[in-house]
């Protein structure tokens, strides 16, 4: 009889524990890209990651959005004109609202504590290369990038 009672309470306890865990997050699980038009063939793409993503993933998603932008403008390639790391260090010990810019100089300085985490963000300024224009050596083939990194997306 006691076994049945314990088993009946276990799902309730599990649900309450999971509810408590899900209400606390290091950062939003939302990923977003912000695109700002600079000129007909140039845009900035800012991809805002979260504490669960690393810098490499954030850069990949920013390049995905840049590829989509280039293709939507009728361009097969794009060139990264500027890349800025706008990551932030967020400290749990000083409150969730306190953030500061995570610069490349602070990466190896040992300034992160065990209660700190990084929100990786990157901004790319790209110039789309119109079809027919000579493709620069450092240009990224938008369609190829999408096919290799996000199969099925470019169909």
């Amino acid at each position: 009889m006691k076994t049945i009672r314990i088993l009946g309470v276990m799902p309730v306890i599990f649900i309450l524990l999971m509810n408590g865990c899900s209400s606390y997050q290091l950062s939003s699980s939302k990923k977003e890209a912000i695109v700002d038009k600079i000129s007909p063939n140039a845009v900035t793409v800012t991809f805002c990651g979260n504490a669960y993503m690393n810098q490499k993933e954030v850069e990949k998603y920013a390049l995905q959005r840049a590829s989509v932008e280039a293709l939507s403008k009728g361009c097969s390639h794009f060139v990264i004109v500027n890349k800025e790391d706008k990551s932030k260090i967020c400290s749990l010990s000083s409150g969730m609202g306190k953030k500061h810019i995570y610069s490349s100089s602070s990466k190896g300085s040992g300034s992160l504590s065990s209660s700190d985490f990084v929100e990786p963000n990157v901004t790319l300024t790209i110039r789309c290369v119109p079809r027919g224009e000579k493709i620069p050596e450092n240009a990224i083939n938008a369609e190829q990038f999408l096919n290799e990194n996000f199969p099925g997306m470019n169909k």
Side-chain angles (χ1 to χ4, degrees):
M1 195 73 168
K2 286 183 181 179
T3 306
I4 294 172
R5 233 186 212 160
I6 291 173
L7 290 175
V9 173
M10 292 303 284
V12 173
I13 291 172
F14 179 76
I15 290 170
L16 289 173
L17 286 173
M18 291 309 292
N19 188 34
C21 293
S22 66
S23 65
Y24 175 77
Q25 295 183 350
L26 291 177
S27 182
S28 170
S29 59
K30 186 172 101 174
K31 303 176 280 188
E32 65 177 310
I34 302 162
V35 178
D36 292 314
K37 182 179 174 182
I38 298 172
S39 72
N41 286 331
V43 296
T44 59
V45 176
T46 300
F47 188 87
C48 305
N50 58 42
Y52 304 104
M53 299 177 78
N54 62 41
Q55 188 68 19
K56 201 171 192 171
E57 287 176 296
V58 169
E59 288 176 16
K60 183 178 168 181
Y61 284 112
L63 286 168
Q64 173 200 27
R65 190 67 178 109
S67 296
V68 169
E69 281 298 309
L71 292 171
S72 73
K73 293 180 178 301
C75 299
S76 61
H77 291 73
F78 66 93
V79 176
I80 299 172
V81 178
N82 189 34
K83 177 179 158 185
E84 292 180 66
D85 180 349
K86 294 191 174 185
S87 298
K88 299 174 191 118
I89 297 173
C90 304
S91 177
L92 293 177
S93 60
S94 61
M96 291 303 292
K98 193 162 192 170
K99 298 179 182 181
H100 63 278
I101 300 299
Y102 179 62
S103 67
S104 56
S105 61
S106 66
K107 287 179 186 175
S109 68
S111 62
L112 293 176
S113 75
S114 61
S115 63
D116 292 340
F117 62 93
V118 176
E119 273 185 1
N121 297 313
V122 68
T123 297
L124 302 176
T125 303
I126 66 161
R127 184 182 70 77
C128 300
V129 181
R131 296 185 194 274
E133 187 178 300
K134 185 177 184 226
I135 299 169
E137 197 173 299
N138 61 340
I140 296 170
N141 182 322
E143 194 170 321
Q144 181 181 350
F145 178 84
L146 290 175
N147 288 337
E148 290 175 2
N149 294 282
F150 299 92
M153 182 179 174
N154 194 30
K155 294 194 184 217

